[in-house]
Amino acid sequence: MIQFKPICLTALPLALMWAQPLLAQDLQDREQGPPPAGGTPLPANDQEVTFSAAQIEYDDDADIVTATGDVRMLRAGSRLRAEKVSWNRKTGEVTAEGNVAVVNPAGDTAYGDNVRLTDTLKDGVIENLLLVLDDGGRLAADMGTRVNGVSTLDHAAYTPCHVTNPDGCPKNPSWKITAVRVVHDPVKRRISYDDAKLTLFGQPLIWLPGLSHPDGSEGGGSGLLMPNVNYSRTNGFEIATPYYIQLAPNRDVTLTPHIYSSVLPGIEAQYRELTSLGAYSVGGFLTYSRRQSPSIVDDPTADSSRDIRGYFEANGRFQFDPQWSLSASTRVTTDKTFLRRYDISRDDRLRSTFNLERIDADSYLSIAGWAVQSLRAEDKGGNQPIALPAIDYRLRLDDPLLGGKVQIQANSLAILRTAGQDTQRAFAGARWDLRQYTGLGQELTLTAYSRADIYHTDDVLSTLTPSYRGKAGWEGRAIGALAADMRWPFVGEFLGGTQQITPRVQMVATPRTKNLDIPNEDARAVDLEDSNLFALNRFPGYDRWEDGSRVTYGVEWAVDLPRFSLRSVVGQSYRLNSRPSILPEGTGLSDRHSDIVGRTTLKYSNFVEFTHRYRLDKDNLAIRRNEMDLTLGSSRTYVTAAYLRLNRDIDPSIEDLRDREEVRLGARLQLARYWSVFGSTVIDLTGRQEDPLSQADGFEPVRHRLGFLYDDECIELGVTWRRDYDATGDARRGNTFLLRVALKNLGR
């Protein structure tokens, strides 16, 4: 064993400097494999080189040191193996020959036939290079040189893909880039290609003149991203070519021109920034095109006008300190059909919000606001609410007397409309909860609640639904409630597992409350479900309060077996007084006996999951709500199905509680290791039986989708067909085809 102190071998393999994802001609593994760890003494410091060899020779006349026979070297975490290593002490040149293999500290392995370094240890040449990166990418070249830190590869290729199949046999990578010359400039942090070509599944596909990309040392850089190709009936063929611009390590911009064959082009942009307090992004889409009124359905001959059209969005979140944070977002568009026509979104409402929050262990403060832009054809913009501000404060305290928990709440809300009813609200309330267990194992929860409200509203006649209006001017209201809730679980063995049966009874008493004099802004879409059966107030918001006294009863059943589980709950409530309810007929809560509601969930391993939610009419057990969700299969091959029917027979003038029926189906089939086919459909089954005001015929397709996908470790290639049946204005029904090609790990 011979040990040399700091000499020219300190950076022996030039390939150690080439741990960037470049390219390769012969991309297959070399026979010699990487140099193993161990067998050579560890250097004392990063400047020291240790090595072992079968034989050491020194030529006094030529002043050359030569090591032969399974030469292994270590320095600063790098390992070298070669058949022969020579050091010319006169010229300073170091040469490694014969099955050279080097592993650098990052885990990248370089192979070559010969490696030659100058005495500067920065410049040199390597022949028949293969570099296998630790993250799976690999490159090879006939020859590589390094001059003044700039690396050049001749006749090179790069791929991040596997070059062997699961059985270990050689195969063509899914894609690779070949080039006559590849240059890496570490100062510019870019890799440039001369006469580059993209080869897909072994076949040359695209010539890429002037191709360059960041070397990954700064986490990315400016350049073109993969284009998207699309076809739709409305816009024709579309090609979108994103260009990414890195302004700084924490700021970037993406500009995407959209070129169409049937309409004028558009431009999309997105700006992102990471700050010391948080992050935000701003984006939008702008074009100039014809648009039709949303009341015109799928009529290309209808009158239209050319105009600037677009969409703007922004969002961000900032954490000022451990308690205070701010989040905000906005989404607005120039007209009601733009997002659907240009396939940006299918949403029918856009929300803009902000929320300033303070959170600590026992208190919460929110100062928020929001606005809504409706994209529904029948909605008028002036009737859409603007909440500014919405303030909510909560404080949690320990009860020093009985040991319960006390929560104090203060809330205010101002609703403004440019052409509709305005409402201002404020209230203060307190809630006390005490949970205890009896000697028989019963869980008993006692609750007391009180609240004082004050409202002001005007322009009430602009609200079409009378029960939502309230009285104009100032109105006050007091609310109080007492409740007792008892659960009694019984647990035992069942079919080799366990089961738990838990009866539950709740009693709620609250005095008569003034409701219809108060405007209703946030408690409109009321519906009895298993999730709110035992709630203190079954209305979804604050503007309506369910008064009177009632008892609610139900039972929960849980079964846990090997690979199988069942959860089920069913219940009903009964009002103890006979006063008429403010709840409309059909909500399941208008009579003394409520409807029966329940939910059942079945799971078998990770293969089957089924959930059924239902509401049965108390008088004839007719199904008023029927909702089913099924997932069957694995993560690679599965079927999903969802069905919803609301048959509540509510007054059709109450828009928030309209009935409907719908089915959604989806599936994915794994055809081979990398190939799959997928599809989905949405069908509106609503007819006059569910909604007397509906124009549907009981079977109205909404959207179909079918696609094929190839997805391996380094490429995603897919073709998708979609047909939309919903047409409004210039967002016409028709077919859309999308071609997606994503080269994974390019430039990593």
Side-chain angles (χ1 to χ4, degrees):
M1 184 72 62
I2 298 177
Q3 177 173 310
F4 281 87
K5 295 300 180 181
I7 58 173
C8 296
L9 299 178
T10 53
L12 175 63
L14 176 65
L16 287 177
M17 310 299 293
W18 288 338
Q20 303 295 337
L22 305 181
L23 305 168
Q25 291 292 47
D26 181 8
L27 294 164
Q28 298 297 325
D29 291 329
R30 301 291 170 87
E31 293 182 0
Q32 65 266 33
T40 303
L42 296 175
N45 54 61
D46 287 347
Q47 300 302 316
E48 185 178 276
V49 177
T50 63
F51 72 92
S52 62
Q55 185 176 355
I56 298 293
E57 297 180 355
Y58 178 66
D59 187 335
D60 289 334
D61 296 333
D63 200 10
I64 295 176
V65 179
T66 303
T68 58
D70 193 22
V71 182
R72 301 186 186 183
M73 292 188 173
L74 294 178
R75 181 188 181 273
S78 299
R79 308 193 307 270
L80 162 72
R81 182 177 67 190
E83 296 177 1
K84 180 180 178 180
V85 176
S86 300
W87 172 35
N88 189 322
R89 300 182 64 182
K90 291 182 178 180
T91 64
E93 183 179 79
V94 179
T95 303
E97 304 177 42
N99 295 324
V100 181
V102 184
V103 177
N104 68 8
D108 305 322
T109 304
Y111 302 92
D113 293 341
N114 295 281
V115 174
R116 298 189 302 276
L117 292 173
T118 65
D119 57 358
T120 63
L121 308 180
K122 296 181 179 180
D123 299 337
V125 178
I126 185 169
E127 298 178 359
N128 192 18
L129 168 68
L130 171 65
L131 179 60
V132 179
L133 305 176
D134 182 59
D135 61 9
R138 55 181 59 208
L139 65 89
D142 291 348
M143 179 174 290
T145 61
R146 185 182 183 96
V147 178
N148 296 326
V150 177
S151 302
T152 302
L153 301 179
D154 294 326
H155 298 98
Y158 164 75
T159 184
C161 309
H162 293 166
V163 296
T164 58
N165 63 22
D167 298 326
C169 299
K171 71 163 188 172
N172 283 324
S174 300
W175 68 268
K176 66 179 180 179
I177 294 178
T178 60
V180 173
R181 181 173 290 105
V182 180
V183 178
H184 172 220
D185 189 333
V187 176
K188 296 180 179 179
R189 299 186 177 93
R190 293 199 68 81
I191 300 171
S192 304
Y193 302 78
D194 290 341
D195 196 20
K197 295 182 179 63
L198 172 64
T199 299
L200 194 64
F201 299 110
Q203 300 298 320
L205 183 65
I206 302 175
W207 179 48
L208 302 171
L211 174 66
S212 69
H213 60 73
D215 63 8
S217 61
E218 291 291 324
S222 302
L224 284 172
L225 306 180
M226 288 300 298
N228 293 321
V229 180
N230 195 8
Y231 172 81
S232 67
R233 174 192 171 191
T234 305
N235 300 325
F237 284 99
E238 172 192 0
I239 181 168
T241 54
Y243 188 83
Y244 175 80
I245 304 172
Q246 187 181 50
L247 303 175
N250 65 322
R251 294 182 289 125
D252 59 45
V253 173
T254 302
L255 301 176
T256 308
H258 293 257
I259 308 299
Y260 305 95
S261 63
S262 300
V263 295
L264 294 176
I267 183 68
E268 180 182 3
Q270 183 184 40
Y271 174 82
R272 302 183 303 173
E273 181 170 349
L274 177 66
T275 72
S276 60
L277 297 178
Y280 69 95
S281 69
V282 178
F285 191 108
L286 192 66
T287 189
Y288 185 79
S289 67
R290 292 187 178 275
R291 64 178 174 185
Q292 297 174 350
S293 169
S295 61
I296 301 174
V297 179
D298 200 22
D299 183 4
T301 65
D303 292 338
S304 60
S305 60
R306 286 189 178 273
D307 203 351
I308 295 176
R309 307 176 69 186
Y311 167 69
F312 176 80
E313 65 177 354
N315 66 82
R317 180 173 177 83
F318 303 92
Q319 192 75 40
F320 303 113
D321 59 36
Q323 286 81 38
W324 285 95
S325 66
L326 172 66
S327 58
S329 66
T330 183
R331 299 176 69 200
V332 293
T333 183
T334 54
D335 56 86
K336 294 186 175 183
T337 61
F338 177 80
L339 296 184
R340 292 176 52 199
R341 169 166 182 173
Y342 288 91
D343 205 19
I344 298 173
S345 170
R346 316 301 297 183
D347 294 339
D348 61 0
R349 284 191 175 99
L350 303 180
R351 288 175 60 92
S352 297
T353 67
F354 78 89
N355 192 7
L356 178 65
E357 294 178 291
R358 185 189 186 279
I359 305 174
D360 62 24
D362 295 307
S363 67
Y364 171 77
L365 171 64
S366 169
I367 304 174
W370 46 264
V372 176
Q373 180 183 11
S374 176
L375 305 184
R376 297 181 178 183
E378 66 274 13
D379 286 349
K380 297 180 179 180
N383 290 332
Q384 301 308 308
I386 300 173
L388 190 67
I391 302 175
D392 189 57
Y393 175 74
R394 305 185 189 200
L395 176 64
R396 184 172 59 188
L397 304 170
D398 292 328
D399 175 11
L401 299 177
L402 301 177
K405 292 288 185 179
V406 176
Q407 179 176 285
I408 299 173
Q409 181 182 13
N411 181 284
S412 68
L413 173 67
I415 295 289
L416 308 175
R417 292 178 175 87
T418 58
Q421 180 172 341
D422 297 336
T423 299
Q424 295 83 44
R425 172 190 81 198
F427 70 75
R431 175 169 175 160
W432 171 81
D433 290 286
L434 175 64
R435 178 178 297 178
Q436 292 183 332
Y437 292 90
T438 70
L440 296 176
Q442 299 158 330
E443 179 187 346
L444 179 63
T445 302
L446 302 176
T447 300
Y449 182 74
S450 63
R451 200 177 87 198
D453 303 346
I454 185 170
Y455 282 79
H456 179 269
T457 189
D458 54 26
D459 202 8
V460 296
L461 295 180
S462 61
T463 298
L464 299 180
T465 305
S467 61
Y468 294 162
R469 295 172 179 168
K471 291 184 177 180
W474 292 95
E475 292 289 337
R477 178 176 63 177
I479 293 173
L482 296 173
D485 191 327
M486 187 192 73
R487 296 162 47 93
W488 195 355
F490 297 89
V491 183
E493 295 183 0
F494 182 73
L495 299 177
T498 61
Q499 71 168 332
Q500 177 175 307
I501 300 175
T502 307
R504 183 176 180 181
V505 178
Q506 178 198 58
M507 296 191 67
V508 178
T510 180
R512 192 165 186 171
T513 304
K514 182 166 59 175
N515 274 299
L516 294 182
D517 293 346
I518 302 297
N520 184 2
E521 296 281 5
D522 66 0
R524 297 181 176 184
V526 60
D527 196 12
L528 179 63
E529 305 177 20
D530 65 280
S531 59
N532 65 5
L533 176 65
F534 289 92
L536 203 61
N537 179 33
R538 266 87 70 98
F539 283 99
Y542 295 111
D543 292 340
R544 290 290 180 267
W545 178 263
E546 187 179 2
D547 57 7
S549 300
R550 65 179 185 270
V551 57
T552 304
Y553 40 88
V555 61
E556 301 172 6
W557 183 35
V559 176
D560 289 288
L561 305 177
R563 306 185 67 185
F564 174 84
S565 67
L566 178 148
R567 299 288 184 272
S568 185
V569 59
V570 62
Q572 186 183 32
S573 67
Y574 174 74
R575 287 196 294 114
L576 301 179
N577 57 69
S578 58
R579 294 198 307 267
S581 172
I582 64 169
L583 290 151
E585 291 285 343
T587 58
L589 291 165
S590 56
D591 295 335
R592 297 189 66 176
H593 282 93
S594 77
D595 286 348
I596 302 168
V597 295
R599 182 191 73 252
T600 300
T601 300
L602 297 172
K603 291 184 179 180
Y604 177 73
S605 186
N606 292 324
F607 188 74
V608 178
E609 182 173 351
F610 174 75
T611 300
H612 182 213
R613 303 175 185 86
Y614 57 90
R615 175 155 69 87
L616 305 179
D617 192 291
K618 64 186 181 306
D619 297 321
N620 54 19
L621 299 183
I623 300 177
R624 298 303 179 192
R625 181 188 185 96
N626 194 14
E627 185 177 0
M628 292 180 282
D629 293 281
L630 171 67
T631 301
L632 178 65
S634 65
S635 60
R636 296 167 62 89
T637 297
Y638 57 84
V639 175
T640 63
Y643 172 78
L644 170 66
R645 186 185 185 192
L646 301 177
N647 186 26
R648 299 169 293 190
D649 293 338
I650 299 178
D651 186 344
S653 65
I654 306 177
E655 190 275 337
D656 302 272
L657 300 175
R658 299 268 288 274
D659 288 338
R660 64 176 303 162
E661 188 174 7
E662 180 181 273
V663 63
R664 296 173 178 261
L665 302 173
R668 183 180 188 269
L669 176 62
Q670 192 75 29
L671 301 175
R673 182 180 179 87
Y674 301 119
W675 288 95
S676 62
V677 58
F678 57 90
S680 63
T681 185
V682 180
I683 300 176
D684 185 1
L685 302 177
T686 306
R688 294 186 180 276
Q689 181 179 358
E690 287 79 25
D691 183 1
L693 300 181
S694 174
Q695 301 297 318
D697 60 3
F699 189 90
E700 185 72 31
V702 178
R703 187 177 307 111
H704 299 327
R705 188 169 67 108
L706 179 65
F708 293 90
L709 177 67
Y710 177 89
D711 187 8
D712 64 17
E713 78 282 351
C714 66
I715 188 172
E716 182 178 319
L717 177 63
V719 179
T720 304
W721 163 78
R722 190 186 74 226
R723 180 169 180 83
D724 294 294
Y725 292 86
D726 190 12
T728 303
D730 57 359
R732 302 172 190 165
R733 66 179 66 194
N735 299 319
T736 299
F737 297 90
L738 174 65
L739 172 64
R740 173 176 171 78
V741 179
L743 303 182
K744 304 177 183 178
N745 311 316
L746 178 61
R748 70 180 179 184

